[in-house]
Amino acid sequence: MTATLSDEQLQQHFDATIERDQRIEPRDWMPEGYRKTLVRQIAQHAHSEIIGMQPEGNWLTRAPSLRRKAILLAKVQDEAGHGLYLYSATETLGADRDDLTGKLVGGRQKYSSIFNYPTLNFADIGVIGWLVDGAAIVNQVPLCRCSYGPYARAMIRICKEESFHQRQGYELLMTMMRGTDEQREMVQDATDRWWWPSLMMFGPPDGDSPNTQQSMAWGIKRHTNDELRQKFVDMTVPQAEALGVSLPDSGLVWNPERGHYDFSEPDWSEFKQVIGGNGPCNAQRLERRRAAHEDGQWVRDAAAAHAAKENARKEGAAA
Amino acid sequence: MSQDRPTTGTGDAPPGSETPRSSWPLYEVFVRGKRGLNHVHVGSLHAADEEMALHNARNLYTRRNEGVSIWVVRAEHITASSPDEKDSFFAPSADKVYRHPTFYSIPDDVPHM
Ligand SMILES: [Fe+2]
Ligand SMILES: [Fe+2]
């Protein structure tokens, strides 16, 4: 009863599904380019969540109170979860999780440049929640409507959790701003260091982002990098004012004609350096991930051996 | 879901290894959000066995009271229909309009119908 359709008909059916703004589901026919683009993008996203645990994990044992420690632990655990939801989505496209991990630790797949910056003081934890998770939310909310079903559904789940991440960070900063002069300086210092890398999280400027058009045509991307960056700046300025910190950009001014804030161009040569592996922490992040993976091998082996033994016992009992 | 996956990795032992190494099998996870609702597919995970799959599912998919009950099933044990464009599997449900209440016209003044 299976009528064989020509490639052209399959392509038409795919295009029509995208046109109607319906979701593509795993076993549907899809162009190879669409599948490859998704696997690469979702894998990079998953890697970012996993590597992203490190800068914050750095402060787990030094959190100033049990309350802050419990919150940070829950947040870092969420990021692990985000990575796993996303790896699960890549597997619906035929990717293999071990293969992706191998590509990450082998430096053959990338992750977000933001996680190659160090967390130097505890205010960094607050600023990451506020700015980095804040930027992630702006990036991720449109992905909840991505044309690929499993990715969109993972993003919905993730976005629900990101709100906690951003709010805990901002609340941490508000607490520090009510503290001593030294604490306020720490918050300002952390803001100064994380502002530009946060703006770079949206990727290169539109003129320098060759894949954007195709991704938008496929309904994977809904807004350009520059649109999202502008949105983030507009959202964040009043939050900085409410907090009482300044943002390190003298070009940041309200433009009444555009109805948006104008702001200066990030240093894209720095972005290229960090993406290319030469950021302050690239080597350390990858090495840590590789070591964790290798150190965990005996646990995976032991659990697999135990499962095999239990199965054999059950089969023996049944026979 | 498993039917979604062209490949499932049960992990062959690498040469020279005594223990079954590499990837744990894939499990699909279904969560009942609250009493009175069906279990709904939420995603997948890898685990060495059923019990670990259940624990991992709790940690991964229900960190904030998202569920009161979890099912896990080996992905390879799910049998699925083919994607819609490749066959007429669902065609019989479309051509029997008389299965729908709207097929029958009843005068407007007949109450409660
Ligand atoms: Fe996340
Ligand atoms: Fe987050």
Side-chain angles (χ1 to χ4, degrees):
Chain A
M1 69 183 198
T2 303
T4 317
L5 299 179
S6 70
D7 282 1
E8 203 178 318
Q9 285 170 310
L10 291 168
Q11 177 78 49
Q12 275 168 7
H13 188 275
F14 173 86
D15 292 343
T17 307
I18 299 276
E19 188 63 35
R20 288 194 306 271
D21 204 17
Q22 288 191 327
R23 300 291 173 261
I24 304 296
E25 294 294 344
R27 296 225 316 174
D28 289 341
W29 182 91
M30 59 187 86
E32 239 349 84
Y34 179 81
R35 181 188 301 274
K36 277 205 184 109
T37 298
L38 276 170
V39 169
R40 194 180 54 232
Q41 177 173 337
I42 304 173
Q44 280 185 16
H45 195 160
H47 298 332
S48 302
E49 304 282 354
I50 297 297
I51 295 287
M53 294 160 73
Q54 291 184 40
E56 292 178 284
N58 182 35
W59 283 91
L60 274 173
T61 57
R62 293 174 289 165
S65 67
L66 184 57
R67 179 174 181 271
R68 291 292 168 198
K69 188 176 190 164
I71 292 169
L72 187 54
L73 202 54
K75 195 217 180 229
V76 172
Q77 191 189 8
D78 273 356
E79 304 301 1
H82 296 177
L84 296 179
Y85 304 152
L86 290 163
Y87 284 129
S88 164
T90 64
E91 284 181 297
T92 67
L93 291 158
D96 175 77
R97 203 175 295 216
D98 282 345
D99 175 54
L100 297 180
T101 303
K103 283 182 173 141
L104 169 64
V105 299
R108 282 172 291 139
Q109 268 180 348
K110 300 201 183 304
Y111 54 88
S112 176
S113 61
I114 191 82
F115 301 116
N116 291 312
Y117 292 87
T119 40
L120 302 181
N121 77 50
F122 195 72
D124 288 40
I125 298 305
V127 169
I128 286 178
W130 172 37
L131 296 181
V132 177
D133 288 274
I137 290 171
V138 172
N139 259 332
Q140 290 172 344
V141 165
L143 288 172
C144 296
R145 294 186 298 121
C146 166
S147 62
Y148 187 58
Y151 191 26
R153 293 192 285 274
M155 291 318 308
I156 290 170
R157 190 170 278 279
I158 287 174
C159 283
K160 275 186 195 157
E161 300 181 348
E162 292 294 358
S163 169
F164 145 59
H165 298 178
Q166 193 187 26
R167 289 173 69 103
Q168 66 81 32
Y170 196 78
E171 187 231 43
L172 189 164
L173 296 176
M174 288 199 312
T175 308
M176 286 185 81
M177 292 302 283
R178 285 194 301 267
T180 63
D181 282 347
E182 204 188 347
Q183 285 176 307
R184 277 185 284 276
E185 273 163 34
M186 285 166 74
V187 174
Q188 185 62 58
D189 167 60
T191 304
D192 291 346
R193 283 182 289 107
W194 288 94
W195 174 248
W196 293 109
S198 297
L199 290 189
M200 294 176 197
M201 284 175 71
F202 299 94
D206 292 350
D208 205 10
S209 178
N211 300 323
T212 292
Q213 281 315 315
Q214 180 57 266
S215 279
M216 287 179 80
W218 275 332
I220 297 173
K221 234 179 140 134
R222 301 278 177 176
H223 306 281
T224 70
N225 297 351
D226 287 335
E227 284 168 6
L228 293 170
R229 194 166 8 250
Q230 179 73 61
K231 190 166 190 220
F232 174 70
V233 171
D234 290 347
M235 272 174 42
T236 308
V237 172
Q239 294 169 351
E241 280 165 9
L243 193 59
V245 294
S246 62
L247 297 171
D249 179 6
S250 55
L252 188 64
V253 281
W254 176 252
N255 182 329
E257 265 155 54
R258 291 202 309 127
H260 293 289
Y261 283 92
D262 289 338
F263 57 99
S264 308
E265 203 62 36
D267 179 358
W268 293 114
S269 64
E270 174 183 321
F271 177 72
K272 281 184 189 130
Q273 280 295 313
V274 177
I275 283 282
N278 302 313
C281 300
N282 295 56
Q284 179 191 335
R285 300 286 187 245
L286 271 192
E287 173 52 27
R288 182 99 180 76
R289 179 70 193 90
R290 195 190 55 74
H293 186 64
E294 283 174 12
D295 292 349
Q297 185 64 52
W298 73 269
V299 180
R300 296 192 291 278
D301 291 345
H306 174 75
K309 213 158 89 183
E310 283 296 305
N311 271 341
R313 187 175 302 157
K314 263 184 232 156
E315 268 161 34
Chain B
M1 311 201 18
S2 87
Q3 74 271 28
D4 302 339
R5 286 163 220 275
T7 58
T8 42
T10 42
D12 292 339
S17 167
E18 297 289 304
T19 47
R21 230 185 118 130
S22 189
S23 44
W24 296 335
L26 190 66
Y27 288 84
E28 300 297 337
V29 181
F30 301 79
V31 171
R32 185 197 295 288
K34 55 183 178 187
R35 287 178 181 281
L37 298 181
N38 290 319
H39 285 76
V40 173
H41 180 250
V42 291
S44 67
L45 50 77
H46 289 265
D49 57 27
E50 276 73 14
E51 205 181 313
M52 187 192 280
L54 214 46
H55 279 97
N56 288 358
R58 181 202 57 195
N59 294 343
L60 185 56
Y61 290 106
T62 62
R63 286 195 299 282
R64 292 180 177 81
N65 309 320
E66 290 95 335
V68 295
S69 163
I70 301 174
W71 291 345
V72 292
V73 60
R74 278 279 282 271
E76 63 193 26
H77 291 163
I78 294 180
T79 307
S81 62
S82 295
D84 53 356
E85 74 277 16
K86 280 197 190 140
D87 63 29
S88 47
F89 193 68
F90 295 103
S93 70
D95 64 9
K96 292 180 180 59
V97 282
Y98 47 85
R99 282 179 173 166
H100 298 277
T102 46
F103 181 73
Y104 306 91
S105 55
I106 306 282
D108 286 346
D109 52 5
V110 178
H112 308 300
M113 181 102 49

